[in-house]
Amino acid sequence: MSVQLQNIYSGDYHNLEDESGNALLLRSAVPFSTGSLDHIARLTLPYITDSPSGESGLGDMVLFDMIKFEESWGRWGIGPVLLLPTATDRKLGAEKWAVGPALGFVARSKKLMWGLFNQNLFSFAGDDDRDDVNVSILQPIINYSLPNKWSIGTSEMNVTCDWEQSDWTALPLGLKLAKLVKFGKRPVQFSGAYEYNFADDYVAAEYTINFTLKFLFPL
């Protein structure tokens, strides 16, 4: 179980001049069981503090429920993912309800963790005047443990294919450095990451810098 706060600064935007943005991200992951099945539910809710549109407020919430399966090499999971139109301004969200499958896996060795996470969202309701949401998001996962509770790995790197555009709209490459510490008995992870987006045909952040504070609650 974990609760994390993340500040994401977006630098120059592709196809916009002299624009930047910033968002605070609240994310919580909660494990639970239904009968013999083990789940991990994760909620992500952004609050945009600065955007090229000039608006600020809540963005759209994303919620998924993965049924996970433990294997000798690691774990894998599958389940639904849901986009909820919680944005407080139409310029900050899609104004669409969307749902689809999510699946992924992580494999572990002594110091290395690697895997892949995939989310697919397809709109089924919402404002008819807004573009449909039909996207697939791939997130590669690589993390290597270093001495003294440090680790290095990939940033979130949400590689995005927009099926409405029939094109890749986000091709990020980034690096994350993290440190695990304890406050009393509570483990807390601090991390920082830099990410560059190579997809420059659409309006999107050219690069992002984020800092994350993650509280861990071992069960």
Side-chain angles (χ1 to χ4, degrees):
M1 181 175 176
S2 66
V3 175
Q4 77 176 47
L5 296 171
Q6 185 178 67
N7 187 82
I8 306 169
Y9 171 75
S10 300
D12 294 337
Y13 277 71
H14 291 305
N15 300 300
L16 293 178
E17 292 186 5
D18 300 323
E19 295 289 352
S20 62
N22 196 82
L24 295 173
L25 202 68
L26 172 65
R27 176 173 288 165
S28 179
V30 181
F32 67 98
S33 298
T34 56
S36 61
L37 297 176
D38 294 327
H39 301 246
I40 298 177
R42 193 181 79 175
L43 177 150
T44 302
L45 181 64
Y47 184 88
I48 294 88
T49 59
D50 183 29
S51 68
S53 69
E55 301 294 335
S56 61
L58 287 177
D60 289 342
M61 180 189 300
V62 176
L63 176 65
F64 72 69
D65 174 18
M66 297 278 284
I67 302 173
K68 67 182 182 73
F69 302 91
E70 300 291 341
E71 306 288 352
S72 59
W73 47 264
R75 65 174 54 164
W76 65 278
I78 187 169
V81 58
L82 177 66
L83 173 73
L84 297 86
T86 54
T88 53
D89 188 278
R90 69 187 317 270
K91 295 180 180 179
L92 302 177
E95 295 192 312
K96 291 283 189 178
W97 293 81
V99 69
L103 66 157
F105 76 93
V106 288
R108 295 178 182 270
S109 62
K110 186 175 181 180
K111 292 186 176 182
L112 178 66
M113 180 179 73
W114 62 278
L116 184 67
F117 181 50
N118 170 237
Q119 301 177 76
N120 304 274
L121 286 165
F122 307 102
S123 55
F124 63 91
D127 190 337
D128 291 336
D129 293 331
R130 297 297 298 270
D131 293 337
D132 288 334
V133 175
N134 293 302
V135 297
S136 294
I137 303 169
L138 296 171
Q139 181 184 354
I141 302 165
I142 301 175
N143 194 74
Y144 187 79
S145 296
L146 300 171
N148 300 317
K149 304 296 183 181
W150 286 91
S151 63
I152 191 169
T154 52
S155 59
E156 291 199 12
M157 286 175 53
N158 291 318
V159 179
T160 304
C161 178
D162 188 326
W163 297 106
E164 292 292 304
Q165 301 286 347
S166 298
D167 200 2
W168 298 97
T169 55
L171 292 171
L173 180 63
L175 193 67
K176 179 178 74 173
L177 184 66
K179 169 72 171 177
L180 185 67
V181 299
K182 280 193 174 182
F183 293 96
K185 295 184 178 180
R186 175 69 54 224
V188 179
Q189 186 186 67
F190 297 87
S191 65
Y194 174 86
E195 194 171 275
Y196 186 85
N197 177 21
F198 288 91
D200 57 5
D201 291 333
Y202 304 93
V203 174
E206 183 176 345
Y207 69 90
T208 59
I209 300 171
N210 73 66
F211 296 96
T212 303
L213 178 64
K214 179 187 286 188
F215 298 90
L216 303 172
F217 301 89
L219 299 179

